[in-house]
């Protein structure tokens, strides 16, 4: 033997234990120190022993088969052998082709095929291990038939003592205060909640009531019968904080005012058209309809003034039918004169008792030619002259 002694680590899967034992026996018989994982170790113990054995070995014989392709342990052992710069001898125990990982990792190594002839393969394995400079027997003569070959005693290398290196911890930076950010986020969250709540209240509470008010105005404008118009528009015109469209109010007043004209209710018609003209943008026909209400109430001058303002409007036959037949001025109460209770004076002439026998009595049958006179108190005096004897 020449050169430094070689220590061989045999890597295998549990399915290939028989092949690994063949290689172990052959190398041990040729004087190599070999190590393979015993079958009686627990998983944790086996892992620890494998790591130590690879760290103290110079060569690794990889027993490869179909089971090796799916073995994570075989991949790890191959990686550890590469880290420790072991000479790797891949041996094919069957005809399985290596997968991409093993094909890549072992691309530069010479494979020994033991699937056909184990005797020739064992000699090639011993030669490959010896080529690395081992002091191995070239090919020792086989021992006597009845004498078993000596079994090498494996001496576990001393466990390496781990070195503890103390590294000082770097100073920790002072934590930043996030109070301001938390306050800002809280304020933003409150604003979002308030705005969202407001819009939810508008959508769930205000919008239905506004739609209800719009529907009432829609019913008012769609009615055609005079009584139905008055009823529907009066409902729509009730005070409602959710009805704020002035145009809708003006249309409802105008529609109801025309219905009042149809019903000859000129006072209510005048009130509606007064609202339209005073609170909106009056049109010529608004003045025309108000003139009809004014004329129906006997307000001729006001009716003529409104009619003059509606000169741009041409009344239809339906409008002409609304004109009042005659003015109905308001009735005036007259007090009859009190009856004259002054008694009328007696106009019968008194008999003349001063006549003498020598003078004849006046002829009572001679009519008095003087007409009756008014005494200024409403009573009439006789037609006798004051100077009548």
């Amino acid at each position: 033997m020449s050169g430094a002694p070689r220590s061989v680590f045999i890597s295998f899967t549990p399915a290939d234990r028989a092949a690994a034992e063949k290689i172990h026996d052959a190398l041990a018989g040729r004087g190599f120190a070999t190590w393979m994982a015993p079958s009686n170790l627990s998983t944790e113990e086996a892992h620890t022993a494998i790591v130590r054995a690879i760290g103290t070995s110079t060569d690794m014989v990889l027993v490869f088969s179909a089971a090796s392709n799916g073995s994570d342990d075989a991949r790890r052992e191959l990686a550890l052998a590469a880290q420790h710069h072991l000479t790797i001898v891949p041996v094919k125990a069957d005809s399985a082709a290596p997968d991409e990982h093993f094909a890549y990792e072992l691309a530069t190594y010479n494979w020994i095929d033991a699937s056909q002839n184990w005797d020739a393969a064992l000699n090639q394995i011993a030669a490959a291990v010896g080529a690395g400079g081992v002091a191995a027997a070239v090919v020792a003569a086989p021992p006597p038939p009845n004498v078993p070959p000596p079994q090498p005693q494996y001496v576990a290398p001393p466990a390496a003592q781990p070195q503890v290196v103390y590294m000082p911890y770097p100073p920790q930076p002072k934590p930043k205060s996030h109070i301001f950010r938390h306050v800002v986020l809280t304020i933003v969250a409150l604003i979002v909640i308030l705005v969202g709540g407001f819009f939810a209240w508008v959508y769930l509470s205000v919008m239905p009531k506004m739609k209800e008010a719009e529907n009432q105005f829609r019913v008012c404008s769609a009615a055609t019968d005079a009584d139905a118009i008055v009823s529907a528009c009066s409902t729509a015109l009730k005070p409602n904080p959710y009805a704020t469209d002035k145009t809708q109010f003006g249309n409802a007043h105008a529609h109801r005012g025309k219905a009042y004209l149809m019903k000859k209710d000129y006072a209510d018609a005048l009130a509606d058209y007064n609202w339209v003209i005073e609170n909106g943008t009056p049109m010529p026909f608004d003045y025309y309809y108000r003139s009809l209400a004014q004329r129906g109430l006997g307000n001729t001058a006001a009716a003529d003034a409104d009619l003059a303002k509606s000169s741009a409007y041409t009344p239809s036959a339906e409008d002409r039918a609304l004109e009042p037949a005659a003015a109905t001025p308001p009735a005036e109460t007259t007090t009859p004169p009190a009856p004259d209770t002054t008694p009328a004076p007696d106009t019968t002439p008194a008999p003349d008792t001063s006549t003498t026998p020598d003078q004849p009595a006046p002829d009572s049958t001679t009519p008095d030619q003087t007409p009756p006179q008014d005494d200024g108190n409403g009573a009439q005096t006789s037609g006798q002259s004051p100077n009548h004897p």
Side-chain angles (χ1 to χ4, degrees), residues 169-222:
Y169 286 101
Q172 297 295 325
K174 185 178 180 180
K176 296 182 180 179
S177 176
H178 301 291
I179 296 177
F180 177 74
R181 184 175 66 179
H182 292 165
V183 171
V184 172
L185 292 177
T186 302
I187 294 174
V188 171
L190 290 176
I191 293 175
V192 171
I193 292 172
L194 290 175
V195 173
F198 172 75
F199 281 104
W201 173 77
V202 170
Y203 181 78
L204 298 176
S205 178
V206 177
M207 292 297 293
K209 294 179 181 179
M210 294 180 66
K211 289 183 179 179
E212 181 182 357
E214 291 180 1
N215 185 59
Q216 290 175 349
F217 283 110
R218 193 176 298 111
V219 173
C220 165
S221 62

Side-chain angles (χ1 to χ4, degrees), residues 299-323:
N299 302 328
T300 305
D304 292 340
D306 283 342
L307 191 60
K309 294 178 181 179
S310 67
S311 58
Y313 177 67
T314 302
S316 64
E318 181 182 359
D319 295 335
R320 295 293 187 187
L322 297 177
E323 295 180 356

Side-chain angles (χ1 to χ4, degrees), residues 230-304:
V230 171
S231 176
C233 293
S234 297
T235 301
L237 291 172
K238 289 181 179 179
N240 188 348
Y242 302 101
T244 58
D245 191 345
K246 208 169 185 179
T247 303
Q248 290 181 333
F249 276 93
N251 293 337
H253 276 288
H255 199 42
R256 188 177 68 174
K258 192 172 181 179
Y260 280 135
L261 289 176
M262 297 166 62
K263 294 168 62 69
K264 309 298 183 184
D265 188 350
Y266 299 114
D268 288 335
L270 179 62
D272 275 334
Y273 281 106
N274 281 341
W275 193 100
V276 173
I277 292 172
E278 294 171 2
N279 294 277
T281 304
M283 303 298 291
F285 53 80
D286 294 324
Y287 288 106
Y288 173 77
Y289 290 127
R290 191 172 74 167
S291 73
L292 298 183
Q294 296 279 22
R295 199 172 302 281
L297 294 174
N299 302 328
T300 305
D304 292 340

Side-chain angles (χ1 to χ4, degrees), residues 139-152:
V139 175
N146 296 328
V147 178
Q151 296 294 329

Side-chain angles (χ1 to χ4, degrees), residues 75-150:
R75 298 172 189 268
R76 296 189 186 98
E77 292 172 2
L78 181 61
L80 287 172
Q83 291 177 7
H84 288 83
H85 306 288
L86 272 65
T87 300
I88 300 174
V89 180
V91 179
K92 295 185 65 175
D94 57 18
S95 60
D99 61 9
E100 290 82 355
H101 176 79
F102 284 106
Y104 179 82
E105 294 292 336
L106 301 174
T108 59
Y109 294 92
N110 293 323
W111 286 77
I112 298 176
D113 188 359
S115 61
Q116 301 296 327
N117 189 341
W118 268 100
D119 293 334
L122 293 175
N123 290 328
Q124 293 177 6
I125 295 170
V129 172
V134 296
V138 178
V139 175
N146 296 328
V147 178

